[in-house]
Amino acid sequence: MARGTLRIYLGAAPGVGKTYAMLSEAHRRVERGTDCVVAFVEHHHRPRTEVMLHGLEQLPRREIEYRGGTFTEMDVDAVLRRAPKVALVDELAHTNMTGSRNTKRWQDVEELLAAGIDVISTVNIQHLESLGDVVESITGVRQRETVPDEVVRRADQIELVDMSPQALRRRMAHGNIYKPDKVDAALSNYFRPGNLTALRELALLWVADRVDAHLTEYRSEHHVSAIWGSRERIVVGLTGGPEGRTLIRRAARLAEKGAGGEVMAVYISRSDGLTAVSPKELALQRTLVEDLGGTFHQVVGDDIPAALLDFARGVNATQIVLGVSRRRSWQYVFGPGVGATVARESGPDLDVHLITHAEVGKGRGLPVARGARLGRSRVISGWLAGVLGPLLLTWLLKSVVPDIGLANHMLLFLTLTVAAALLGGLLPALASAVVGSTLLNWFFTPPVHTLTVADPQNIVAIVVFVGVAVAVASVVDLAARRTHQAARLRAESEILSFLAGNVLRGETGLEDLLERVRETFGMESVALLERAGEKDPWTCAGSVGPGPATTPDAADVDVPVGDHMALSLCGRVLPAADRRVLAAFAAQAAVVVDRRRLKGEADRAEELAEGNRIRTALLAAVSHDLRTPLAGIKAAVTSLRSDDVEWSEEDQAELLEAIEEGADRLDHLVGNLLDMSRLQTGTVTPIIRETDLDEVVPMALGAVPEDTVDLDVPESLPMVGVDRGLLERSVANIVENAVKYSPPGERVLVSASAMADRVEIRVVDRGPGVPDEVKDRIFEPFQRYGDAPRGDGVGLGLAVARGFAEAIGGTLHAEDTPGGGLTMVLAVRTAPGRRRERPDVSPAVTS
């Protein structure tokens, strides 16, 4: 019997329409005459989904008794007996009740498929086993019901049911997914826009990978060798020249033409030292490619074409973008160039684009070499010109060119000597002079074919030739060395000026500076070490790269900065010529550290200034806001003590009530003032203990009327590590503020839920709300938004709440309430090792 086929509707979150799409497909198949039945579909009381079940044959479910309750599951035996052509099985990741035929529903589906029954099922992206950790980090909910990725990947068809986060939230707000009493909590927790966007991206990427795998399988089965590039990955080869920006923009335009295109710019630096380009230009190109959504990479390699191709193949690139060479025409005698070499060796899998630009043919400028060394290729070329060149010239003069006289012969040999000096330096030029003088004597000076010279004038001519050749070679070699040194100094000055400007402007952090050192010198790791005294241990102020040195002695290169700081590099030993630039880098790193410390001192000074401002505001509050309740208390007490008026019991009770209200208000104001004073002076010392929220949050609601707050704090929440008193005061201030601004008859919702390694307490009101530009300002001391009465507090409630929240390691911020209002989100850390057993979400979320 042939195995049945599996079709899966995959969604990013509950409510996107997977079950609805599955039922729509069932109706289409029934209309075509296909024998299709509903083996198990859960509509979750969604009216539109429930209507779609009409007209479809539904098989009876199996009832299971468990712990005094009755539950229903899919009856696999009933489906096998019915033997339909197609069976609809909802919620593929569902865990069956104890006593079922199989532990998981996907195992039930496997039985149906083995029996030759086609199955249509649904699953959410968060239920894939490999994505459990990722989904938990996004939503804070650990999915217990999962399905192995391989089960889903084996499906014959996978269809993504997609919906934008905004549309899904609208469906939620309209009551099409959950019941009205659960909408606010869902929108504020699991169904937040950020969560839905991240889950949607996960679903899209997973399906895209599945499509790529299917395409690869198809090409393998049908022996398709040509590349079908569905996602373009473009590598831009940079030389550090001004044409780099043109190449990056061109690559970005190429990437925009295809869906999911990616741009990666790479600069190949040689392994023998400083980069041969302006670091300022390279930094500008790095910024440009990152602004265009690409990435910048720097790799080390002496063979630039090979290194570029290795990088491109390593990142699975489909295209390489290079600029047409800036070399002049005559320079092509030394080789075809990087572009032509890459194009020749790229193979059929890589497309190479050679882009024209304004710098074509203008020359590459002065090379920047390390010290006075020439490259290996130039030295070899110099020796070839100095040794083989005279032999080839002698053959040409004897075989092809007629006798042109000894003087002309000497000039031609002298030209070869100069060429050898230009290419390989002094030693190849000296060898050329020796070989050339010997060949001149043997072949062109009478008597020929002997080393003797008959005419004394010819002896003088040969001696002069050798002298001139040596002098010219020395001058040319010296000029080349000075040119290289000047170019090196220019590169060093550009590096130092650029870095100094960034450091002075505060644009470069310590880690960024150390990363620049590592890239510039091609090292594995760089660390800045410091210690307080000669006998104190070294500590790391900052490091980049794997395995940084912990002491200067453990590093390959150590540059001291003063008496108690050192820049340590690991990777290779640098020549002495690099120490000057490295010392400047070390000095700049010390400046960054000092600036960071000065900034810390400035921040502390600013805190002191803020404390002075708070104290001034406290005096103003005492002089005005505290007088109001005091005046009411004084007036009531004076009235009660007056002998001129005979107060009734009702009047006395009213006056006493006014005194009590004034005292309560005064106590509240004084408490907030004292709390803010403690926060500003840093005298708040929290005592962190493991605490259950359901014991603390209800205690914080004592100051508000009972009929103004709805409380939803599940007992299954994990314990949190907080100071109970500070948390209670923080929640109390938040709730009092929410109740104060809520419309009459509207209750404030106080709920709590677990999100990854924290627990969020959300206080939701339906008041006027707060504009985005004011959301941070309402947490500042003595700030009141809107038309709050002057005597209704001094604007410290939320400031104290945030201060206490931060003191216990939590955060407090404001969000808009869906449908209008303001939501305060107080997040605190869970206690170490204390995690909930089950996710605190609606069962529909796990469907």
Side-chain angles (χ1 to χ4, degrees), residues 488-805:
R488 174 187 171 82
L489 292 175
R490 182 185 66 184
E492 292 177 0
S493 64
E494 288 181 351
I495 291 174
L496 297 179
S497 63
F498 181 68
L499 290 177
N502 281 358
V503 171
L504 292 176
R505 291 191 298 269
E507 298 174 358
T508 301
L510 179 60
E511 285 71 21
D512 295 333
L513 181 62
L514 296 180
E515 180 63 27
R516 182 62 58 86
V517 174
R518 190 178 71 87
E519 290 183 355
T520 300
F521 293 94
M523 306 300 286
E524 293 180 0
S525 63
V526 180
L528 184 65
L529 307 177
E530 60 178 349
R531 59 181 178 180
E534 293 292 338
K535 297 182 179 180
D536 294 315
W538 289 96
T539 60
C540 182
S543 65
V544 294
T550 56
T551 63
D553 295 337
D556 295 317
V557 180
D558 169 34
V559 179
V561 186
D563 297 331
H564 306 301
M565 190 175 291
L567 185 66
S568 302
L569 294 80
C570 297
R572 61 190 178 90
V573 178
L574 295 178
D578 287 338
R579 292 279 178 165
R580 181 174 64 255
V581 178
L582 199 54
F585 271 111
Q588 294 288 8
V591 170
V592 172
V593 173
D594 291 340
R595 182 169 55 82
R596 186 167 62 182
R597 289 172 177 165
L598 290 174
K599 186 177 183 301
E601 295 178 0
D603 292 340
R604 288 191 291 272
E606 185 177 353
E607 292 176 1
L608 293 176
E610 178 67 15
N612 290 331
R613 188 185 73 83
I614 294 297
R615 282 189 288 273
T616 302
L618 285 173
L619 292 176
V622 170
S623 65
H624 187 282
D625 292 276
L626 296 185
R627 284 185 176 182
T628 301
L630 283 174
I633 294 173
K634 176 66 174 177
V637 172
T638 301
S639 299
L640 287 174
R641 295 190 59 178
S642 175
D643 296 332
D644 299 335
V645 181
E646 186 70 26
W647 300 103
S648 65
E649 292 184 1
E650 292 79 4
D651 292 336
Q652 291 179 3
E654 185 176 348
L655 290 173
L656 290 173
E657 184 180 357
I659 293 174
E660 184 178 13
E661 290 179 355
D664 289 340
R665 184 187 303 176
L666 185 62
D667 178 70
H668 181 73
L669 292 175
V670 172
N672 277 338
L673 290 171
L674 292 177
D675 289 339
M676 180 54 62
S677 178
R678 292 168 58 202
L679 288 171
Q680 293 297 327
T681 56
T683 58
V684 176
T685 305
I687 302 176
I688 306 299
R689 295 176 179 172
E690 293 184 356
T691 304
D692 285 320
L693 282 182
D694 57 350
E695 297 178 359
V696 177
V697 176
M699 299 291 294
L701 309 181
V704 297
E706 294 182 0
D707 59 347
T708 59
V709 177
D710 287 333
L711 186 62
D712 181 16
V713 180
E715 296 181 358
S716 59
L717 289 174
M719 300 184 72
V720 295
V722 297
D723 184 299
R724 294 189 55 163
L726 297 183
L727 178 62
E728 182 180 333
R729 289 297 305 275
S730 182
V731 174
N733 282 2
I734 298 170
V735 174
E736 290 175 14
N737 183 79
V739 171
K740 180 170 59 178
Y741 285 99
S742 292
E746 289 285 348
R747 289 174 174 263
V748 172
L749 173 63
V750 180
S751 64
S753 59
M755 308 292 290
D757 59 347
R758 67 189 190 279
V759 174
E760 289 188 350
I761 303 171
R762 307 180 75 86
V763 180
V764 183
D765 67 61
R766 293 293 181 178
V770 173
D772 292 339
E773 62 271 13
V774 185
K775 282 187 172 63
D776 285 333
R777 199 162 66 242
I778 62 176
F779 294 102
E780 297 178 3
F782 305 101
Q783 295 290 328
R784 294 185 298 173
Y785 176 76
D787 299 328
R790 177 61 181 167
D792 200 27
V794 294
L796 285 178
L798 293 181
V800 170
R802 173 174 275 189
F804 283 167

Side-chain angles (χ1 to χ4, degrees), residues 161 185 310 359:
V161 182
D310 289 342
E359 304 297 321

Side-chain angles (χ1 to χ4, degrees), residues 40 75 111 149 153 174 205 249 373 388 401 447 533 732 790:
F40 188 96
D75 193 338
E111 285 196 41
D149 288 45
R153 290 185 180 276
H174 293 160
L205 291 175
R249 293 189 180 96
R373 291 191 304 177
L388 298 182
V401 182
R790 177 61 181 167

Side-chain angles (χ1 to χ4, degrees), residues 14-15 166-180 182-184 186-187 191 845:
Q166 295 78 9
L168 183 56
R169 284 172 60 85
R170 282 197 300 271
R171 291 192 63 188
M172 174 71 72
H174 293 160
N176 295 331
I177 301 177
Y178 290 167
K179 294 181 179 180
K182 296 184 177 296
V183 170
D184 285 343
L187 289 175
F191 286 83
V845 173

Side-chain angles (χ1 to χ4, degrees), residues 315-582:
V315 298
N316 197 28
T318 58
Q319 301 182 51
I320 296 178
V321 173
L322 299 173
V324 176
S325 178
R326 287 184 284 136
R327 296 191 301 175
R328 302 185 187 278
S329 301
W330 61 269
Q331 291 178 304
Y332 282 97
V333 300
F334 301 108
V338 174
T341 304
V342 170
R344 184 181 66 247
E345 299 179 1
S346 61
D349 297 337
L350 277 171
D351 295 334
V352 180
H353 301 267
L354 293 179
I355 308 300
T356 58
H357 49 85
E359 304 297 321
V360 173
K362 292 185 178 180
R364 298 179 62 89
L366 293 174
V368 182
R370 289 176 51 80
R373 291 191 304 177
L374 300 173
R376 173 184 292 183
S377 60
R378 288 194 56 180
V379 172
I380 294 176
S381 300
W383 280 102
L384 292 176
V387 177
L388 298 182
L391 296 175
L392 180 61
L393 179 60
T394 300
W395 178 79
L396 291 174
L397 293 176
K398 296 296 291 183
S399 304
V400 181
V401 182
D403 189 9
I404 57 176
L406 181 61
N408 292 325
H409 293 161
M410 289 184 175
L411 289 176
L412 292 174
F413 279 98
L414 182 61
T415 302
L416 283 178
T417 301
V418 173
L422 288 172
L423 291 173
L426 182 60
L427 293 180
L430 293 178
S432 177
V434 173
V435 174
S437 61
T438 302
L439 294 176
L440 278 171
N441 189 3
W442 183 268
F443 288 101
F444 303 104
T445 305
V448 296
H449 302 143
T450 65
L451 294 178
T452 59
V453 181
D455 189 348
Q457 293 182 355
N458 292 336
I459 296 177
V460 174
I462 292 177
V463 172
V464 170
F465 165 76
V466 174
V468 170
V470 172
V472 170
S474 300
V475 171
V476 171
D477 180 74
L478 181 62
R481 289 173 180 270
R482 292 291 182 265
T483 300
H484 292 312
Q485 292 172 358
R488 174 187 171 82
L489 292 175
R490 182 185 66 184
E492 292 177 0
S493 64
E494 288 181 351
I495 291 174
L496 297 179
S497 63
F498 181 68
L499 290 177
N502 281 358
V503 171
L504 292 176
R505 291 191 298 269
E507 298 174 358
T508 301
L510 179 60
E511 285 71 21
D512 295 333
L513 181 62
L514 296 180
E515 180 63 27
R516 182 62 58 86
V517 174
R518 190 178 71 87
E519 290 183 355
T520 300
F521 293 94
M523 306 300 286
E524 293 180 0
S525 63
V526 180
L528 184 65
L529 307 177
E530 60 178 349
R531 59 181 178 180
E534 293 292 338
K535 297 182 179 180
D536 294 315
W538 289 96
T539 60
C540 182
S543 65
V544 294
T550 56
T551 63
D553 295 337
D556 295 317
V557 180
D558 169 34
V559 179
V561 186
D563 297 331
H564 306 301
M565 190 175 291
L567 185 66
S568 302
L569 294 80
C570 297
R572 61 190 178 90
V573 178
L574 295 178
D578 287 338
R579 292 279 178 165
R580 181 174 64 255
V581 178
L582 199 54

